[in-house]
Amino acid sequence: PGLPAREVDCKIRGLHPWPGTSLILESGERIKVKKSKLSSTKTLLQPGQIDEIKGSLILQCAAGCVELL
């Protein structure tokens, strides 16, 4: 969340397949992230928030967004 989207995307791709990347939601549910890509989506989300926008999971980063695939 405190990192720019490009850096988050590189970390997700660089850690696949091992050791892998996962996110823990506020509900306590863990989501395994296998792929990502930079997104040009504009949101009103705060860094670290995830929302479904037009059928895609979007993670708002400090600068830009990442689509979780």
Side-chain angles (χ1 to χ4, degrees):
L3 301 173
R6 179 171 297 287
E7 193 169 335
V8 171
D9 179 53
C10 287
K11 285 183 182 238
I12 291 170
R13 290 183 297 114
L15 292 170
H16 181 73
W18 189 88
T21 306
S22 61
L23 304 170
I24 300 175
L25 304 179
E26 289 178 349
S27 65
E29 182 181 0
R30 181 181 297 264
I31 294 177
K32 181 108 172 142
V33 180
K34 295 184 178 182
K35 293 183 181 181
S36 66
K37 68 177 184 178
L38 294 175
S39 173
S40 61
T41 301
K42 305 291 185 211
T43 73
L44 297 176
L45 300 172
Q46 296 296 315
Q49 289 184 316
I50 300 172
D51 199 5
E52 182 180 351
I53 300 174
K54 296 181 181 178
S56 299
L57 279 180
I58 302 295
L59 169 64
Q60 178 66 53
C61 300
C65 295
V66 172
E67 181 178 351
L68 306 176
L69 306 171

